[in-house]
Amino acid sequence: MEKEEILKRAKAYIAAEKDERFSKEVEELIAKEDYKELEDRFYQTLEFGTGGLRGIMGGGTNRMNTLEINMATQGLANYVLKAFPEKAKNGTLSAVVAYDSRLNSDVFAEATALIFAANGIKAYLFSSLRPTPELSYAIRTLGAQTGVVVTASHNPRMYNGYKAYWDDGAQVIEPHDVGIIEEVNKVKEVKTMTRVEAIASEKLVIIDKEIDEKFWAMCKAQLFRPELIKEKAKDVRIVYTPLHGTGAMHVEKVLGDLGLKIITVPEQREPDGNFPTVEKPNPEEKPALTLAVELAKKEKADGVMATDPDSDRFGTAFPDKDGNFVLLNGNQMGALLMEYVLLSRKEFNKMPVNPAVVRSIVTSPFGDYICKKYGVKMFDCLTGFKWIAAKEAEFEKAGTHNYVFGLEESYGYKIEREVMDKDGVSAAAMCAEMILYWRSKGKSLLEHLDDMYKEYGYFEDRAISQYFPGAQGGEIMKGMMAKLRKEPPATLGGEKVIKVRDIMCDSDLPKSNVLQFYLESGTIVSARPSGTEPKIKFYINSMIPAGDGSDAWFAEAKKKAGVLCDGIESDIQKIIDAASK
């Protein structure tokens, strides 16, 4: 990009940005003539995508800042006013706004609430940080038409984001996503008002415990065996980390009310958007759980639980027979929780007619075999919990199936119907009950997981993420996906590719830039560019069919899967290296 164009965009941004913290950043870069950094900040405008915004915080059109938040909210407000004309006419529109512990989240959230208020939409703003699942719950509980949570979920500390929700409590999908984007792109002027004016006009309402208490009760109401918990809870010690996020007040409260001994990692308990103890506040990442595992060993705890900054993701680790903690991945915990929910529903005669489970297409097919045993239909959907929620809504509208569980490999689980997004708080409560249940049967969770492998087959899952930042990164990823479509690999890991599924064109799902390669063994390899970070992600879902269930079969299955996954990883790395040249 030419220097003149960069400077033109930068000066236009400075004139429009009312938040001096961000505009001064750009002024300083101009003064230093740092055109490389200026180009990265202005070569594009941060796109309001189908779920909202997410990006690195800072001044510039390609950054998360107050100007981008304001434009997005005005566009969303305009769309809501058109979508609910009767409520707009009689002044009964409302929105809920929540935020997590990230830097600027409180500032962005208040700006969002005041723009809603200025547009005649009553804004319910949480008094302090709250989890994403509680935002979804609050929209449904308060009967709001939309909602926003300011969060970048599990992303590194320099990121923040903005997720938009609809009146069903789920993230927006078609046709609303496209409609909102069109309105955002048309915004010329942003309406706002002061906090004092908004409160005086009753267009801004601060909420907290009246929603918190109902949310806690809802999470506890999902449990199946309160008597078992009451009897055995004192025997279990859990080390928990909120990773400097929103989870402590909720997970400590819900699990504490159940009588469980919760030991929260002290260095990570307080909310802190700098995330000083971790590079990435993501329970998927092993280093993020280092402090929790160390404390769990010291305390001789029965398990480790973790939630990400907005508490929608849930990670775990459990001690093996030698006392070494094993981190379970999202597919493993998802399979454990799913089976526990299904067996409990069956035992207590709570299985509805035509029960259904929903998983994302890059989640292990492990759950398909569990569902078959319990007579439950498995459905797949695009990656992202909004699609799981959409499937649940589809069942309800058509009256065809009854939702009982949803999961995705990225540590997301939804047990309840009251929240239309993944929920790390209710997952923690259900996991605690599940630990006690299998202990009452003389099994640890790890031992039971091995039993499941022997019954259903062995599944090993891996993920490879490759980042491509900067102006050229997006083009590299486009080129890689184009080549994979034009020249798909004939083999992966030494196994023949027998089928290619392109979600852009030959699928009954909405179009999405995902390719899936099916191998002879039943293993599935997926390629998917991220929608929230400059990276492409490859998923390996390997499968070794069930044998005789013996220890010898199990050992051989693990060995075989490991060799296959190693080979696939090597081939994927070659694809990445070739595209990066």
Side-chain angles (χ1 to χ4, degrees):
M1 184 186 296
E2 296 294 328
K3 289 182 181 179
E4 291 78 10
E5 180 63 23
I6 294 173
L7 286 172
K8 180 182 176 183
R9 295 186 184 191
K11 289 175 181 177
Y13 169 78
I14 291 169
E17 177 62 85
K18 306 302 181 186
D19 192 326
E20 289 187 359
R21 295 173 307 155
F22 297 117
S23 58
K24 279 184 177 180
E25 285 183 15
V26 179
E27 289 172 351
E28 290 170 2
L29 289 170
I30 292 173
K32 289 189 293 185
E33 298 185 349
D34 188 346
Y35 290 106
K36 183 177 180 182
E37 178 64 19
L38 283 166
E39 181 180 20
D40 188 57
R41 290 179 181 233
F42 289 99
Y43 79 89
Q44 66 175 9
T45 296
L46 192 66
E47 183 181 355
F48 189 97
T50 55
L53 296 165
R54 190 173 297 188
I56 295 171
M57 288 177 280
T61 59
N62 189 34
R63 293 289 186 270
M64 275 292 296
N65 47 57
T66 311
L67 179 61
E68 291 297 324
I69 291 287
N70 290 353
M71 300 289 280
T73 306
Q74 185 63 56
L76 175 56
N78 290 345
Y79 184 78
V80 170
L81 288 164
K82 291 179 179 179
F84 300 96
E86 286 302 313
K87 286 184 174 293
K89 187 177 179 181
N90 59 32
T92 56
L93 286 171
S94 63
V96 186
V97 183
Y99 60 95
D100 70 1
S101 61
R102 288 179 179 272
L103 301 178
N104 299 307
S105 283
D106 56 344
V107 176
F108 293 161
E110 181 165 312
T112 298
L114 294 177
I115 291 168
F116 280 134
N119 281 275
I121 302 169
K122 179 181 284 190
Y124 293 98
L125 174 65
F126 277 101
S127 62
S128 61
L129 72 173
R130 290 297 191 280
T132 288
E134 188 175 7
L135 180 277
S136 173
Y137 178 78
I139 290 170
R140 293 165 71 86
T141 300
L142 294 168
Q145 283 66 56
T146 189
V148 169
V149 59
V150 179
T151 178
S153 191
H154 59 288
N155 286 52
R157 62 178 62 87
M158 69 283 293
Y159 282 82
N160 212 329
Y162 176 107
K163 291 198 288 191
Y165 288 73
W166 206 238
D167 63 346
D168 59 355
Q171 289 186 59
V172 293
I173 60 166
E174 55 190 18
H176 305 304
D177 52 0
V178 176
I180 294 167
I181 291 168
E182 289 176 354
E183 290 295 335
V184 170
N185 291 336
K186 290 191 294 186
V187 171
K188 300 296 182 185
E189 181 184 353
V190 175
K191 297 178 182 178
T192 189
M193 62 198 314
T194 68
R195 184 185 179 99
V196 172
E197 290 171 336
I199 290 175
S201 65
E202 298 184 348
K203 286 299 181 184
L204 177 62
V205 179
I206 307 302
I207 54 174
D208 44 40
K209 64 179 182 180
E210 65 270 29
I211 302 297
D212 295 335
E213 290 170 355
K214 291 179 180 179
F215 180 74
W216 297 334
M218 180 276 298
C219 289
K220 290 181 282 189
Q222 308 306 316
L223 300 173
F224 296 98
R225 297 177 172 83
E227 299 83 6
L228 176 66
I229 296 175
K230 189 175 181 180
E231 179 187 348
K232 301 286 187 181
K234 291 180 181 178
D235 298 339
V236 172
R237 293 160 65 83
I238 299 294
V239 165
Y240 166 67
T241 174
L243 295 175
H244 304 289
T246 61
M249 71 178 289
H250 284 61
V251 174
E252 288 176 356
K253 172 65 177 174
V254 172
L255 271 61
D257 283 355
L258 298 175
L260 290 155
K261 175 66 175 175
I262 305 301
I263 307 164
T264 304
V265 177
E267 301 94 328
Q268 297 176 330
R269 186 179 185 277
E270 296 305 315
D272 188 342
N274 289 303
F275 305 115
T277 64
V278 291
E279 184 178 345
K280 296 178 182 177
N282 185 355
E284 291 183 81
E285 305 272 351
K286 186 176 181 180
L289 271 62
T290 298
L291 288 177
V293 168
E294 288 174 355
L295 183 58
K297 288 179 179 177
K298 180 181 175 182
E299 295 285 347
K300 294 182 170 54
D302 299 283
V304 166
M305 295 184 183
T307 50
D308 65 342
D310 67 327
S311 302
D312 60 354
R313 294 185 179 212
F314 174 67
T316 56
F318 299 97
D320 61 17
K321 292 178 180 178
D322 299 320
N324 297 312
F325 276 75
V326 177
L327 276 65
L328 295 189
N329 63 43
N331 286 305
Q332 291 170 321
M333 178 49 62
L336 283 163
L337 284 170
M338 180 200 307
E339 189 205 45
Y340 180 69
V341 167
L342 298 185
L343 72 85
S344 297
R345 280 185 172 275
K346 185 176 181 181
E347 180 179 331
F348 292 106
N349 198 29
K350 291 183 176 180
M351 190 75 81
V353 295
N354 298 324
V357 169
V358 188
R359 67 168 173 86
S360 68
I361 55 175
V362 295
T363 297
S364 170
F366 192 175
D368 299 26
Y369 293 81
I370 298 169
C371 283
K372 187 176 181 181
K373 174 182 176 178
Y374 287 94
V376 176
K377 176 75 172 176
M378 174 67 85
F379 290 84
D380 67 0
C381 64
L382 296 180
T383 303
F385 239 86
K386 66 180 182 180
W387 297 110
I388 292 175
K391 203 71 183 174
E392 178 181 352
E394 182 185 311
F395 296 155
E396 193 170 316
K397 184 177 180 180
T400 53
H401 292 83
N402 285 288
Y403 174 97
V404 291
F405 192 75
L407 73 159
E408 61 180 11
E409 52 75 39
S410 55
Y411 291 54
Y413 321 104
K414 188 173 99 67
I415 298 156
E416 67 267 44
R417 300 289 300 274
E418 294 86 347
V419 169
M420 295 296 277
D421 209 335
K422 53 184 177 283
D423 182 3
V425 181
S426 63
M430 189 64 75
C431 181
E433 182 180 276
M434 180 171 64
I435 292 168
L436 291 167
Y437 174 80
W438 289 113
R439 175 172 286 199
S440 73
K441 303 292 184 183
K443 297 276 186 180
S444 71
L445 276 191
L446 292 182
E447 288 170 337
H448 178 62
L449 181 60
D450 286 349
D451 289 344
M452 290 171 67
Y453 284 140
K454 292 174 182 178
E455 179 179 356
Y456 299 111
Y458 183 69
F459 300 83
E460 184 168 327
D461 308 286
R462 300 187 191 179
I464 303 167
S465 294
Q466 180 68 44
Y467 284 80
F468 294 97
Q472 288 77 39
E475 293 305 314
I476 293 172
M477 288 191 286
K478 285 180 184 176
M480 189 187 307
M481 292 299 289
K483 187 168 184 181
L484 284 171
R485 282 190 168 88
K486 187 177 180 181
E487 303 171 20
T491 62
L492 286 168
E495 276 200 15
K496 186 178 179 182
V497 176
I498 60 173
K499 175 186 173 185
V500 179
R501 183 188 190 193
D502 187 348
I503 311 301
M504 282 295 285
C505 56
D506 59 354
S507 169
D508 55 357
L509 299 172
K511 290 183 179 181
S512 184
N513 190 16
V514 182
L515 286 169
Q516 294 190 296
F517 306 98
Y518 291 74
L519 310 187
E520 290 175 299
S521 63
T523 292
I524 304 170
V525 179
S526 306
R528 172 183 168 266
S530 172
T532 60
E533 294 178 88
K535 71 178 181 182
I536 191 165
K537 196 168 183 180
F538 290 87
Y539 305 81
I540 304 170
N541 300 125
S542 74
M543 175 201 168
I544 307 299
D548 60 11
S550 65
D551 290 342
W553 170 85
F554 187 36
E556 182 60 28
K558 285 199 286 186
K559 181 180 177 181
K560 187 176 180 181
V563 170
L564 175 59
C565 288
D566 287 346
I568 294 171
E569 278 195 352
S570 178
D571 287 344
I572 288 172
Q573 193 57 55
K574 291 174 185 174
I575 292 169
I576 292 171
D577 292 343
S580 303
K581 290 179 180 178

